[in-house]
Amino acid sequence: SAVISQKPSRDICQRGTSLTIQCQVDSQVTMMFWYRQQPGQSLTLIATANQGSEATYESGFVIDKFPISRPNLTFSTLTVSNMSPEDSSIYLCSADSSGSGEQFFGPGTRLTVL
Amino acid sequence: GDSVTQMEGPVTLSEEAFLTINCTYTATGYPSLFWYVQYPGEGLQLLLKATKADDKGSNKGFEATYRKETTSFHLEKGSVQVSDSAVYFCALRYGGATNKLIFGTGTLLAVQP
């Protein structure tokens, strides 16, 4: 298993600004993932972050809006750029530590954009 | 494409009642199937999983059996507790090397004392 922490846990931001969310895993993992969970909705995968390569984005998500870094095997960041109220959501990171498809999730970052 | 369909909630039960949350999937090949639980104010936790047909995943009194013939993975518990109140997500793992998960819409379970 893996224990995942995220910072910040929540934030309130102004329209047009950017926020960087950090995700730390307590062990080395190959694959990390970033999801968005809008209020009352399910999880939508934003991108897969692999160490040493560019993130792979899902349809509807672009690097300019959601740049991702993965500098090593235990850490990743997601930036939400040029925010609008529509970006208000919970952002979750997860890691697949065993390659089995079993993902462990962080507690999430609750973002509110005014 | 691959997808997961869950019964809509909320599901409201009295303590000690029997629980079933339906989940069906559409997928090419033989995906792994998962149930995740999200307690109020927390992140997702893996509840149970099954990786091949007829496998039964179980944890904390919850069970689900991978039924290939009906493409289903229904979650059951014989006697729910107030502490089981949460949102339950069914998910499948894409085949291949991507390890991506596709989630259902989630089912809110409210257990009343």
Side-chain angles (χ1 to χ4, degrees):
Chain A
S1 66
V3 177
I4 301 174
S5 59
Q6 283 183 237
K7 289 196 294 187
S9 58
R10 59 179 61 227
D11 207 342
I12 300 173
C13 300
Q14 296 297 318
R15 180 195 298 262
T17 62
S18 298
L19 176 72
T20 295
I21 302 168
Q22 299 179 8
C23 180
Q24 180 75 53
V25 189
D26 70 342
S27 58
Q28 294 185 339
V29 296
T30 303
M31 304 182 83
M32 295 181 71
F33 304 86
W34 287 98
Y35 292 85
R36 182 171 71 184
Q37 185 180 23
Q38 295 182 304
Q41 303 293 315
S42 186
L43 281 76
T44 302
L45 181 64
I46 298 171
T48 302
N50 296 321
Q51 195 268 336
S53 63
E54 293 284 333
T56 303
Y57 289 84
E58 297 300 303
S59 176
F61 297 96
V62 295
I63 188 170
D64 290 347
K65 176 67 175 177
F66 297 101
I68 287 171
S69 77
R70 181 81 198 274
N72 57 50
L73 291 173
T74 64
F75 188 78
S76 178
T77 67
L78 170 75
T79 298
V80 186
S81 304
N82 188 26
M83 289 184 285
S84 68
E86 291 71 36
D87 294 320
S88 297
S89 190
I90 298 173
Y91 292 85
L92 297 130
C93 74
S94 72
D96 179 347
S97 63
S98 63
S100 68
E102 180 178 325
Q103 292 183 20
F104 298 89
F105 283 81
T109 296
R110 184 179 294 272
L111 171 62
T112 302
V113 184
L114 302 177
Chain B
D2 295 2
S3 65
V4 175
T5 302
Q6 274 183 249
M7 66 185 288
E8 292 195 13
V11 174
T12 303
L13 296 173
S14 297
E15 208 163 22
E16 299 184 1
F18 184 86
L19 168 71
T20 300
I21 300 177
N22 290 338
C23 171
T24 57
Y25 67 91
T26 301
T28 53
Y30 303 97
S32 296
L33 301 172
F34 304 85
W35 277 101
Y36 281 85
V37 58
Q38 186 174 34
Y39 296 103
E42 299 184 13
L44 271 73
Q45 302 175 24
L46 178 65
L47 182 59
L48 54 83
K49 68 178 182 180
T51 58
K52 61 183 186 296
D54 299 325
D55 265 3
K56 177 185 283 188
S58 61
N59 186 25
K60 299 182 181 180
F62 291 89
E63 293 183 340
T65 301
Y66 190 141
R67 302 283 189 202
K68 181 173 177 293
E69 63 276 14
T70 55
T71 62
S72 64
F73 192 55
H74 304 322
L75 182 68
E76 296 182 336
K77 186 175 186 182
S79 175
V80 294
Q81 305 300 312
V82 172
S83 57
D84 294 326
S85 298
V87 180
Y88 293 81
F89 292 93
C90 185
L92 70 80
R93 175 202 165 198
Y94 271 120
T98 63
N99 281 358
K100 294 192 293 187
L101 292 177
I102 300 173
F103 285 87
T105 53
T107 302
L108 173 63
L109 170 66
V111 181
Q112 298 175 338

